[in-house]
Amino acid sequence: MGRNIGIRSIAILLVANATSPAFAREALLPGLQARVEAVLRQAGPGPRFGFVVATADGRELISILPDQRFIPASNTKMFTTAAAFAVLGGIDAPDSAGGTAVRLVANESSAADVIIEGRGDSRLSSAANCVIDCLVTLADAVAARTRVVRNIVGDDMLFPDERWSPGMSWNNIPTDSGTAISALTLDSNELAMLVTPTAPGQAPGIDFLPYYTVDNQAVTVAEGKTELTFDRIPGSAAGRLRGTILAGAPPKTLGLGIDDPAHYAAWRFRTMLEARGVRVKGDVMARHRPLSSADDPVLRKGVPVLRGPQAAPLARLTPPPLAPSFAHLNKVSQNVHAELLLRRLGNLRGTGSIADGVIVIRNMLERAGVRRADYDFSDGSGMSTYNRVAPRGMVVFLRWIAAQPWGAAWRS
């Protein structure tokens, strides 16, 4: 899964039900502020600590740099999921609005184009054991209708083409932590590579779908430990596996990032159609919504353009409810799922852009009474190094959540 372990994070404690006079700082915590400060000074120059301990009614017991802003890293996901609870309706019902659809679109050829239309679902799967929200269901629908098609087009135009957040480190792009964001998302936009040890001194075996070409420079070792890395220049289809894997160790699965998720989904759909005896006469391509009319990929030669009212899809999936997936999003720290949730928020009254999603979070924090100076966000997952949060603002935010009718569900 796409994970983001915070480079720097905020230490926050909210002491529940501490409302009696016995919790006054003088009675309960004599000298503790000074003792905490003394311990933190032992770290020496360099580290900076932000720290707030408060009672449930808002009385601060300890505060260390409470108004300075820190990089929250994956703590950002708490804001994104709270905004979903606050403003998204129907998150406990099947996600009918997010389901991926497939269309057959006529053209000058005798064979129709296949359009796979993404609607922001983060859980669409091509796994062999998939039982719900499965891409193969759409492939079966096409195979039941026709035996010949022309182009396979991945359509992610629901959201603008902003695949990476401002402030995200470019070296994360080839990894599952920094894989691209798209309204058409398959397998969390990760390509799984299984690396299996062989004899010492030999290259390990690798097994993966051939979307990329891989130069296998890894080595099986008789002793030591497994340390594998996959490098790829962003935008390239060629990568390099390096490092070591211990002989006799269990196989290691690496998640490889995907730069054009809509294209990958269309490519994977083609393999499914061909496995069902459907002949694909044309190409695999992607259709994106540009950020400006000056860079409009749908006008490039050969990319089918849908104009006017569209017929009902040949088939559409209905993913499971969103709310249960938030536990996975937060606990595993799933970046792709968080970013897609942010774009859903931005699509409520805006364009589905990162900026429009951040506006929803900002409006929520204003209602929560968090000072504007206490935060700044540039994404929904925490991969952006531009994000900032102050500890005191974070505690105000958590206290506000606790008072909401959905607060217990968010916390659980």
Side-chain angles (χ1 to χ4, degrees), residues 100-104 113-117 124-126 134-143 149 151-154 184 186 209 261-276 278 280 284 314-315 317:
T100 307
V102 65
R103 301 178 188 271
L104 294 178
D113 291 319
V114 177
I115 313 294
I116 311 167
E117 182 182 83
L124 179 66
S125 173
S126 70
C134 309
L135 186 63
V136 70
T137 304
L138 302 182
D140 287 339
V142 173
V149 299
N151 299 312
I152 312 294
V153 183
L184 179 54
L186 178 65
L209 293 171
H263 182 272
Y264 173 72
W267 177 85
R268 189 75 179 94
F269 200 71
R270 176 174 185 156
T271 66
M272 291 182 171
L273 289 182
E274 291 176 337
R276 284 156 179 75
V278 178
V280 180
V284 169
L314 177 63
L317 301 174

Side-chain angles (χ1 to χ4, degrees), residues 194-249:
L194 187 69
V195 184
T196 304
T198 55
Q202 302 296 313
I206 57 175
D207 183 22
F208 66 105
L209 293 171
Y211 188 67
Y212 293 137
T213 60
V214 176
D215 178 12
N216 184 2
Q217 298 184 7
V219 178
T220 305
V221 294
E223 55 186 20
K225 56 184 178 180
T226 297
E227 291 183 330
L228 295 168
T229 60
F230 178 78
D231 301 317
R232 182 178 57 80
I233 297 174
S236 170
R240 178 175 57 185
L241 179 67
R242 296 186 298 173
T244 59
I245 185 168
L246 186 62

Side-chain angles (χ1 to χ4, degrees), residues 146-310:
T146 182
R147 308 310 293 170
V148 181
V149 299
R150 193 176 68 160
N151 299 312
I152 312 294
V153 183
D155 183 328
D156 66 358
M157 293 182 68
L158 180 68
F159 306 141
D161 190 11
E162 297 178 291
R163 295 180 225 173
W164 296 282
S165 306
M168 192 188 85
S169 299
W170 69 269
N171 56 298
N172 283 306
I173 290 176
T175 73
D176 56 1
S177 292
T179 187
I181 309 303
S182 165
L184 179 54
T185 291
L186 178 65
D187 301 329
S188 298
N189 290 339
E190 298 176 24
L191 180 63
M193 174 188 287
L194 187 69
V195 184
T196 304
T198 55
Q202 302 296 313
I206 57 175
D207 183 22
F208 66 105
L209 293 171
Y211 188 67
Y212 293 137
T213 60
V214 176
D215 178 12
N216 184 2
Q217 298 184 7
V219 178
T220 305
V221 294
E223 55 186 20
K225 56 184 178 180
T226 297
E227 291 183 330
L228 295 168
T229 60
F230 178 78
D231 301 317
R232 182 178 57 80
I233 297 174
S236 170
R240 178 175 57 185
L241 179 67
R242 296 186 298 173
T244 59
I245 185 168
L246 186 62
K252 175 79 171 180
T253 299
L254 300 180
L256 313 185
I258 296 169
D259 294 349
D260 192 340
H263 182 272
Y264 173 72
W267 177 85
R268 189 75 179 94
F269 200 71
R270 176 174 185 156
T271 66
M272 291 182 171
L273 289 182
E274 291 176 337
R276 284 156 179 75
V278 178
R279 180 186 171 200
V280 180
K281 298 172 62 176
D283 299 319
V284 169
M285 55 188 70
R287 183 168 60 205
H288 310 295
R289 194 212 312 175
L291 291 174
S292 71
S293 59
D295 181 26
D296 191 340
V298 305
L299 299 181
R300 293 174 184 166
K301 184 178 179 181
V303 179
V305 179
L306 301 183
R307 302 191 186 279
Q310 300 300 313

